[in-house]
Amino acid sequence: MTALLIIIAAIVLLVIGYVFYGSWLAKQWGIDPSRKTPAQETPDGVDYVEAKPAVLMGHHFSSIAGAGPINGPIQAAVFGWVPVFLWCVIGGIFFGGLQDFGSLFASIRHGGKSVGEIIKDSMGKRSKKLFIIFALLVLILVIASFVNVVAGTFFTPDSLIASTGKAFGFTTNPTNNQTTAMISVLFIVLAVLYGILTNKCGVKTLPATIIGIVGIVGIVVLGLNVGFVMNRTAWIIFVAVYIALASLIPVWIMLQPRDYLSSFLLYAMILIALVGIVIGTFTGSAKFEIPAFTGWKVGGSYLFPTLFITVACGACSGFHSLIASGTTSKQLDSEKNAKAIGYGSMLIESALGIISLIAVGVVWANWKNKAYGSPSAAFGAGIATLFGKEGTGVYNTISALLTLAVSVFALTSLDSATRLSRFMFSELFLKEGEKSWKDAKGVRKVLANPLFGTALMVIIGSTLGFLKLSAIWSLFGAANQLLAGIALLAVAAWLGEVGKNNKMFFIPMVFMLAATLSQLVITVIGKLKAMFAGAEGAFFWGNWFQLFFASAMAILAVILVIEGIQTFARQIKQRA
């Protein structure tokens, strides 16, 4: 019964937050459905493309979800279910939802431009440049993390390749990894076909959606019987090429249709989980075993700041601000939909974080004994256990479907992150008045070229993807949450500049900055200790990478915070 009560309480609180706090925010900021959106003012057929609310909701939700709300809460559960539950709910309503909605709204009022442009209007050009550099460092970590997750979900182990003698190609009686790889690749093809049907063949959204859902069922059935074999290195290269191409082509070909169709997988995953929790409660299979609270210090890590960094996307994520201001704001058809897409998506993601908490609670003993290779595997096993015993057909099918859903979201986040890095890398080298790389001169024209920025970011991110996920995820979590603190600062500064209420930003902003800067300091000290502990630590390039990134981001963040404080002081003085 504990699992059922937890999810009911979470849903009720999140709905109350959406109805009351979300509506209050919209009223405070002046959401105006009569205003034209950037997609209506400057359509270009590539990035600025008006999308139907359901399609854009699918893109935004799929892009911000990724693997974060599954990996984060499961790893943070070592502190007990109560702290994770409270942070997912309170963080989602007052921290993450505020940041996502605020970033989307501010970007809409800046012509669909990034948080960097929002910062420039209130804090100046130098702050804009510093923010873009900071955001690019975070995006490198996003690419590295999710390349690692996707390749780890798709690859066939060398031991299996050696025993079967098959290193590449199709295989019958596939493993979960091979099934997921096959379905995910076919899903890309299906998305392109959907984009052509709706944008070039004139097929309406409803019939196209039905065709798309039938197509999803078809490729799932095929993937459960025929898998694809490739080793981890090959998958990293494949994913790198894919995200580079996907980030350069018009959004209607891949981004919009793939994200829209993948959102149905996410909705289905949530529905399956909710049904499983209800069934498990009354059949006795939903035995929730996580203690309510295990202590302020677990395994050498303190609840503050570790919990608030680890839960990540389940409560608050800086990456969301980049999605909101990088791709979503360029496709919105009306400001009236900003609340549902910006604020509502975050609360649904918080609900997914609670579902992940319940999933690992069902298999808590096995998770503690390291029976699963990843949080995603524990999530799939936990939900599947609610329907049947391990090894049964129902268990295997549900586990495979959930693993597929996680991988699809990781791919979604990957090419959205790469597209964002393309925008921001070009923006870094453009001068005032230059609208695109074609207007730049000399070496800046080369650096601002979308091909250059995309290639550089993909190569760096994918190379780092060869590291162990544990070497990237903690740093990614701290950088991601630090970005959230800076995004909150940026939107608050802009709202103050235009005379709108920004007081709701200050507590979330200060808390996120304090938690993340503390974590980065801990990371720097830990890496220095590891490097001075012996020759291996000193020469391991992963330690140098983490030390450089943590130090660089901490320094950039401190400079931006100082300039933010100066901006707020100036605004207060002007109003006095």
Side-chain angles (χ1 to χ4, degrees), residues 413-472:
S413 296
L414 261 174
D415 64 50
S416 293
T418 311
R419 186 175 289 266
L420 289 170
S421 66
R422 168 167 68 83
F423 295 149
M424 302 189 86
F425 199 89
S426 293
E427 204 174 309
L428 186 62
F429 297 100
L430 295 179
K431 290 185 176 179
E432 193 74 29
E434 295 176 343
K435 294 184 177 180
S436 74
W437 66 276
K438 295 178 182 178
D439 301 323
K441 305 296 182 184
V443 69
R444 289 190 302 104
K445 190 167 188 175
V446 175
L447 295 173
N449 189 301
L451 291 175
F452 181 87
T454 300
L456 182 64
M457 293 293 288
V458 169
I459 289 171
I460 295 174
S462 299
T463 300
L464 293 175
F466 283 98
L467 284 171
K468 290 182 179 180
L469 184 59
S470 59
I472 309 170

Side-chain angles (χ1 to χ4, degrees), residues 379-397:
F379 174 80
I383 300 301
T385 298
L386 297 172
F387 290 89
K389 292 182 178 181
E390 185 175 355
T392 62
V394 173
Y395 178 98
N396 291 338
T397 300

Side-chain angles (χ1 to χ4, degrees), residues 155-162 175 177-178 230-231:
F155 85 110
T156 300
D158 291 337
S159 58
L160 184 58
I161 289 175
T175 65
N177 281 25
Q178 294 165 346
M230 204 152 67
N231 66 27

Side-chain angles (χ1 to χ4, degrees), residues 64 68-69 72-73 87-88 91-92 95-96 99-100 131 134 138 141-142 305-322 346 349 473-489 508-520 553 557 561:
I64 66 172
W87 179 232
C88 281
F95 290 67
Q99 179 217 220
D100 295 13
F131 174 81
F134 180 89
V138 175
L141 293 176
V142 172
T306 307
L307 174 79
F308 306 99
I309 303 304
T310 307
V311 170
C313 306
C316 184
S317 166
F319 179 58
H320 295 189
S321 69
L322 301 185
M346 178 63 245
E349 189 166 3
W473 191 261
S474 60
L475 185 56
F476 160 68
N480 186 34
Q481 306 307 75
L482 183 53
L483 177 59
I486 293 174
L488 288 164
L489 183 152
M509 175 185 73
V510 171
F511 183 86
M512 295 309 300
L513 290 171
T516 50
L517 285 172
S518 298
Q519 184 63 43
L520 286 176
M553 287 185 291
V561 168

